[in-house]
Amino acid sequence: MQWQFIQHAAKSYTLKLLLRDIRLKKKEAYHASLLRNILGFDAELKIDFVDGIPISSSGKRRLVICEYQHI
């Protein structure tokens, strides 16, 4: 399993998951519930099942990306 967590705005997030076991995709609501317990129940959460997580120029995968810029 690989994952990447992205924060787009104050309460907007995406979790990208690469799962080897197709049965885990059926637990999307479970994953969302766990994250909402941490992020808050008003969080906008999108879960994407992907075929791969891109590698950065340094050769590593960025697990957490923050695109949110509080002004």
Side-chain angles (χ1 to χ4, degrees), residues 29-56:
Y30 172 74
H31 296 299
S33 174
L34 288 176
L35 283 172
R36 283 197 173 90
N37 284 333
I38 297 167
L39 303 171
F41 292 99
D42 59 342
E44 296 175 21
L45 180 62
K46 179 179 176 187
I47 297 178
D48 288 338
F49 296 100
V50 297
D51 294 326
I53 305 292
I55 297 175
S56 68

Side-chain angles (χ1 to χ4, degrees), residues 4-69:
Q4 186 175 61
F5 184 78
I6 305 167
Q7 181 176 12
H8 304 286
K11 291 287 185 171
S12 176
Y13 309 91
T14 299
L15 175 64
K16 293 183 178 183
L17 293 174
L18 176 113
L19 302 174
R20 296 200 187 343
D21 188 346
I22 195 81
R23 293 173 293 175
L24 293 175
K25 289 184 180 182
K26 295 179 181 177
K27 296 187 176 186
E28 181 177 352
Y30 172 74
H31 296 299
S33 174
L34 288 176
L35 283 172
R36 283 197 173 90
N37 284 333
I38 297 167
L39 303 171
F41 292 99
D42 59 342
E44 296 175 21
L45 180 62
K46 179 179 176 187
I47 297 178
D48 288 338
F49 296 100
V50 297
D51 294 326
I53 305 292
I55 297 175
S56 68
S57 60
S58 68
K60 299 179 182 178
R61 284 185 179 82
R62 293 179 61 194
L63 300 179
V64 178
I65 299 172
C66 182
E67 298 175 345
Y68 175 54
Q69 298 199 9

